[in-house]
Amino acid sequence: MKVLYRFIMTFIAIFVLTACSKDIKINPEGENVLDTAEVESGLREKEETTAVEEQNQESNVATDNVTDGKQEQIAYPYVQELNIIEDNYRNYYEIFVYSFYDSDGDGIGDINGVIEKLDYINDGDPTTDSDLGFNGIWLMPIMPSTTYHKYDVTDYYNIDPQYGTLEDFKTLLQECDKRGIKLIIDLVFNHTSSQHPWFKEAVAYLQGLENGEQPDIDECPYVEYYHFTKDYEGGSGYHRVGNTQWYYEGMFWDQMPDLNLGNPKVREEIEMIAKFWLDLGVGGFRLDAVKEFYSGQKDKNIEVLKWFTDYVASLDKEAYIVGEAWDSKDAIASYYESGIPSLFNFPLAMYNGEITKTARRLGPATASTYGKNVMLMLAKYQENNPNFIDSPFISNHDTTRISAQCVNNEEQMKMSAGLLLTMNGSPFVYYGEEIGMNSSGDKDENKRLPMQWSLTDQTGMTRKPSNADLVEQKFPPVDEQMEDPLSLLNYYKRAIRIRNENPEIARGEVSIIEELTNEDILAIRKVYEESEIAIIYNIHTEGANISLEDTDLDGYSIRGYLSVDGSEVSLENGNLYMPKYSIVILK
Ligand code: CA
């Protein structure tokens, strides 16, 4: 027996190694490292990564259930008419332009590359099912910058030359418009680049002062654009100006000086910048690092958010603003006092977040606790802003990817995606999440790797950010997953389709159907404008038989379902069968 066991294990190991050798080929290149949220995310991510990697070692073989791509085509039953409402409840796709698609062969993704791949995101044709069906896009920073990630802006009124031109961007906006896609852009005004003209002028001016001479704001107003001080008494976040006695605040990095957001002139500048982009046609902004506007001073941050939200609303009531407050649900609830339309729901995301924790049934996580926790969380947010729209997500450019969170367990990844894409609000999907792209360790570059379009056709393939490692990809690229009806990609597509058929999913008032809910099963109701649906989740590795007879859902029928392995959900004579990890929409 032992010999046979060893033989089988060796065979499996060889198979896995061979499968993995199809990895991406990547060219090295030299550039900068830091990203805005790195400081705050560092610790948390380290914890996550360690846990994930420990488990990785144990379960590499057991969970490496990459689809073999040979399944029969399955036509989805229960396809309904699309019912897309043009409001601010949308399905967003987060794009790191650098790593998405390269249109001109220099190895760096660009705006024209995004345009070339828009049909993948949404082709604007309701009769096709070859696109993912997103109707919102968030572009990570696109303005001129000194780094690959571009979170340090040197010019707020242009497109980074690596990415293209303002003309390219206008074309992108037109193409998005044709497809009903709202395009929002990253706006970074907690800090600028140290190479921004405002900062350079301020520094040159201070360096030209005689010893002991006080700065004259009429001579150089930019001195008050930042937090310069001579009274620096040690501690982190401050950096010296050359050989002078002056210091400046740069919480994230010495190359990212923090703006003085209390200065009315700085606010005027930011208003002009926001107006410039709104006039071009962007649909809103993702606000970077809102916790650090005044680090550690939540009330002042809320005031900044309120000022910015009110200003943008005065120009465009339909603009979507989503803030990055990487914090607890209580803190996020406080930030909603500003009236900001949306904030990312960090407590749902990442390795320890409600979503993957529930899909993996980690520790005390059960179907019913998930339902209760999410309800409580959303109620808290709503208390402070009745019109809030949640922005749930699983992973983004600062976190481990979903594949690492679920240790490459494809069924758990699908269950996570299903939980995300049946949430209220505007869910955000990070590029590559839909094909199970991998991340590795703490290094930000390893979370922002080239989109895996194809292994056979290298057209448009970007090269990796310079400090990225060669990270093994466990799941096939886009072109292969497109052909496989049971792929993760097709699961995402089906989930978004169901979302686009049922406006109640994003907008409905939620209540838990207690009589059907237990550790493995969560049943909820969503009511939107007198239309009511129910969603039932089976968060278990085995199928479940559920009798709807004599319950609130007696007489309901199936509108659609999500299944991780092609098994069918069925409902006959009040008996609902749900295969493992399935989700059904009833009406
Ligand atoms: Ca390019």
Side-chain angles (χ1 to χ4, degrees):
M1 269 315 272
K2 261 192 183 160
V3 174
L4 180 65
Y5 175 77
R6 200 172 292 164
F7 173 78
I8 291 171
M9 289 313 287
T10 311
F11 179 77
I12 291 173
I14 290 170
F15 176 78
V16 169
L17 284 172
T18 316
C20 295
S21 69
K22 294 193 294 183
D23 268 355
I24 36 170
K25 304 287 184 293
I26 295 168
N27 312 311
E29 199 235 353
E31 269 170 300
N32 263 320
V33 203
L34 243 97
D35 169 40
T36 297
E38 196 173 46
V39 174
E40 56 182 314
S41 73
L43 271 177
R44 268 184 243 207
E45 280 290 300
K46 226 166 247 163
E47 287 165 18
E48 280 182 23
T49 308
T50 315
V52 169
E53 274 167 7
E54 274 167 14
Q55 295 194 35
N56 244 325
Q57 287 170 357
E58 290 167 24
S59 52
N60 251 352
V61 174
T63 60
D64 194 30
N65 53 352
V66 179
T67 64
D68 60 17
K70 294 288 184 288
Q71 285 89 353
E72 294 282 291
Q73 282 283 333
I74 47 163
Y76 291 117
Y78 305 108
V79 171
Q80 317 287 340
E81 291 273 302
L82 288 172
N83 188 359
I84 297 168
I85 299 173
E86 294 281 318
D87 60 10
N88 262 336
Y89 291 85
R90 285 171 184 265
N91 316 312
Y92 278 93
Y93 192 61
E94 176 191 355
I95 299 178
F96 180 41
V97 177
Y98 193 97
S99 290
F100 196 59
Y101 193 84
D102 172 26
S103 72
D104 59 7
D106 67 356
I108 297 173
D110 42 52
I111 300 288
N112 285 330
V114 176
I115 296 171
E116 280 190 47
K117 283 294 171 186
L118 270 188
D119 283 350
Y120 169 70
I121 299 164
N122 188 336
D123 65 5
D125 180 351
T127 64
T128 62
D129 66 355
S130 49
D131 58 318
L132 284 160
F134 289 101
N135 58 352
I137 291 175
W138 156 28
L139 293 184
M140 285 167 62
I142 52 174
M143 300 167 200
S145 167
T146 69
T147 55
Y148 83 97
H149 54 69
K150 311 199 192 300
Y151 275 97
D152 51 323
V153 178
T154 57
D155 176 3
Y156 286 96
Y157 295 96
N158 217 328
I159 301 290
D160 190 289
Q162 282 187 331
Y163 284 1
T165 65
L166 272 175
E167 286 310 307
D168 299 340
F169 186 70
K170 286 178 194 166
T171 309
L172 172 62
L173 283 165
Q174 286 162 8
E175 291 301 316
C176 283
D177 223 34
K178 283 184 201 163
R179 294 164 169 80
I181 298 172
K182 188 165 203 155
L183 182 72
I184 68 172
I185 58 170
D186 227 306
L187 185 56
V188 187
F189 63 67
N190 173 67
H191 51 262
T192 68
S193 164
S194 60
Q195 300 308 306
H196 193 286
W198 300 336
F199 189 74
K200 282 165 70 173
E201 281 197 36
V203 162
Y205 177 77
L206 290 176
Q207 284 179 322
L209 291 180
E210 296 293 325
N211 218 355
E213 193 183 344
Q214 284 306 306
D216 179 347
I217 298 313
D218 292 332
E219 280 180 25
C220 182
Y222 301 118
V223 171
E224 288 196 341
Y225 274 38
Y226 299 88
H227 297 287
F228 288 103
T229 181
K230 274 181 167 173
D231 303 325
Y232 170 66
E233 288 167 352
S236 63
Y238 276 80
H239 316 277
R240 194 164 172 189
V241 180
N243 292 321
T244 70
Q245 293 173 306
W246 290 93
Y247 288 81
Y248 64 93
E249 187 192 9
M251 284 308 285
F252 288 111
W253 187 27
D254 64 353
Q255 304 298 304
M256 289 177 170
D258 279 50
L259 279 168
N260 174 10
L261 296 172
N263 181 348
K265 284 205 173 118
V266 170
R267 292 200 179 188
E268 262 173 49
E269 299 272 12
I270 295 169
E271 288 178 357
M272 286 194 289
I273 292 160
K275 185 170 187 316
F276 172 80
W277 291 98
L278 288 168
D279 286 348
L280 273 182
V282 304
F285 304 100
R286 177 264 184 186
L287 293 189
D288 185 53
V290 308
K291 260 175 72 184
E292 307 305 330
F293 292 159
Y294 291 91
S295 299
Q297 301 184 65
K298 201 165 60 190
D299 289 348
K300 288 179 111 173
N301 297 334
I302 292 171
E303 191 277 325
V304 174
L305 285 182
K306 182 172 172 11
W307 150 71
F308 185 76
T309 298
D310 290 349
Y311 175 73
V312 169
S314 76
L315 299 177
D316 179 1
K317 285 208 169 8
E318 302 307 315
Y320 196 61
I321 306 172
V322 50
E324 180 210 20
W326 192 328
D327 217 323
S328 67
K329 62 175 182 296
D330 290 342
I332 291 171
S334 305
Y335 282 114
Y336 270 118
E337 288 170 18
S338 65
I340 189 170
S342 186
L343 291 157
F344 285 114
N345 198 339
F346 277 90
L348 291 178
M350 299 178 289
Y351 178 69
N352 287 323
E354 292 291 339
I355 291 178
T356 44
K357 194 171 73 182
T358 305
R360 303 183 64 206
R361 295 293 290 273
L362 281 184
T366 65
S368 63
T369 51
Y370 173 77
K372 285 190 185 102
N373 290 347
V374 170
M375 292 266 299
L376 283 174
M377 190 185 281
L378 298 187
K380 232 176 209 307
Y381 300 163
Q382 189 162 30
E383 233 170 71
N384 289 342
N385 179 359
N387 299 318
F388 91 107
I389 295 174
D390 191 29
S391 286
F393 68 105
I394 298 170
S395 70
N396 71 17
H397 61 285
D398 286 324
T399 75
T400 49
R401 281 184 173 274
I402 181 180
S403 46
Q405 293 178 33
C406 294
V407 203
N408 300 310
N409 181 318
E410 190 175 357
E411 294 184 345
Q412 291 174 353
M413 289 159 70
K414 287 175 176 169
M415 188 75 230
S416 302
L419 289 169
L420 171 71
L421 293 168
T422 49
M423 277 282 301
N424 280 62
S426 297
F428 280 70
V429 172
Y430 182 42
Y431 84 95
E433 184 182 308
E434 75 279 16
I435 53 167
M437 266 173 61
N438 208 358
S439 59
S440 168
D442 296 333
K443 216 191 261 179
D444 281 334
E445 288 86 341
N446 290 347
K447 303 163 185 164
R448 304 165 187 174
L449 295 170
M451 181 68 171
Q452 300 293 294
W453 295 105
S454 173
L455 294 174
T456 52
D457 178 2
Q458 293 296 295
T459 314
M461 183 75 182
T462 65
R463 65 169 176 253
K464 71 179 178 68
S466 61
N467 283 298
D469 301 313
L470 205 126
V471 177
E472 182 186 300
Q473 297 296 336
K474 301 268 185 185
F475 295 91
V478 172
D479 60 351
E480 288 178 40
Q481 291 203 32
M482 275 287 185
E483 301 303 317
D484 173 6
L486 295 182
S487 68
L488 184 64
L489 175 65
N490 275 309
Y491 185 96
Y492 268 84
K493 204 194 287 179
R494 177 74 184 126
I496 295 167
R497 169 83 200 194
I498 288 177
R499 203 174 169 83
N500 287 336
E501 292 168 353
N502 301 284
E504 301 90 344
I505 295 176
R507 301 161 186 82
E509 193 169 320
V510 189
S511 55
I512 293 178
I513 304 168
E514 299 284 354
E515 59 185 330
L516 293 172
T517 296
N518 56 43
E519 287 200 346
D520 301 326
I521 305 292
L522 170 65
I524 59 173
R525 182 184 285 107
K526 294 200 184 195
V527 185
Y528 171 66
E529 297 195 333
E530 289 170 18
S531 174
E532 177 177 327
I533 57 164
I535 307 177
I536 305 183
Y537 304 82
N538 177 16
I539 311 176
H540 195 255
T541 49
E542 285 169 25
N545 285 295
I546 302 166
S547 173
L548 302 183
E549 245 180 274
D550 299 325
T551 73
D552 280 6
L553 303 183
D554 206 345
Y556 274 53
S557 52
I558 295 176
R559 263 186 80 73
Y561 64 78
L562 292 162
S563 152
V564 295
D565 62 358
S567 308
E568 285 179 24
V569 171
S570 62
L571 175 57
E572 273 167 44
N573 305 323
N575 290 315
L576 178 68
Y577 174 72
M578 296 187 69
K580 64 176 171 182
Y581 290 135
S582 59
I583 302 174
V584 63
I585 315 294
L586 302 169
K587 193 167 179 171

